Amino acid sequence: MSLLEELYRETIMQHAQRPHNFGPLEAPTVKVGGHNPSCGDRIELYLKVENGRIAEARFTGHGCAISQSSASMMTDLIRGRTLAEALELHRKFKAMVVEAEPPDPALGNLAALAGVAKLPARVKCATLAWNALEQAIEQVGEAL
Ligand code: ZN
């Protein structure tokens, strides 16, 4: 294993063991659930949206290290972003894990999940939280 792969593994395990932004959000603007039956991962994503910006992002759920660390790092990254910026991050993350494109610098430590592109069975684990995010943004957009 290369040094970079070791660092990536360490990042994933740290977020999976002590996820950031874990726990429900009181009075969310939107709440979306996601389920990945092939691995048994579950996510509930809570967003508070104020003036078109994600003021708070939290999640609950359980599952494998990839699904939980992805949700942990995603909720860190999207806080304070506009909905359009969050959708752009969603696109960049999917390009990395689905199309195997090199990680965009805007994704920060989510680059740790770039190797998932080589593990087709785990792509749904990595994208679970991000698909919930896309759905949540669509729901908020419809309510405006
Ligand atoms: Zn999984």
Side-chain angles (χ1 to χ4, degrees), residues 2 4 7 9 33 43 65 75 78 95 114 135 143:
S2 74
L4 192 60
L7 287 172
R9 180 172 297 239
I43 289 274
T75 47
I78 63 174
Q135 244 184 296

Side-chain angles (χ1 to χ4, degrees), residues 36 39 41 64 67 122 125:
N36 172 21
C39 181
D41 309 315
C64 68
S67 68
R122 312 309 299 278
C125 304

Side-chain angles (χ1 to χ4, degrees), residues 61-136:
H62 57 85
C64 68
I66 290 173
S67 68
Q68 303 302 302
S69 66
S70 184
S72 173
M73 291 188 269
M74 181 191 82
T75 47
D76 271 350
L77 188 67
I78 63 174
R79 193 186 308 109
R81 309 292 179 124
T82 65
L83 297 178
E85 286 167 350
L87 268 186
E88 183 60 14
L89 290 166
H90 167 268
R91 193 190 62 74
K92 287 174 169 163
F93 184 79
K94 296 272 276 231
M96 179 179 79
V97 298
V98 180
E99 322 286 339
E101 283 181 23
D104 189 288
L107 291 172
N109 59 2
L110 281 149
L113 291 167
V116 169
K118 287 181 236 149
L119 308 167
R122 312 309 299 278
V123 168
K124 282 183 181 160
C125 304
T127 56
L128 181 63
W130 290 88
N131 289 337
L133 173 66
E134 185 183 33
Q135 244 184 296

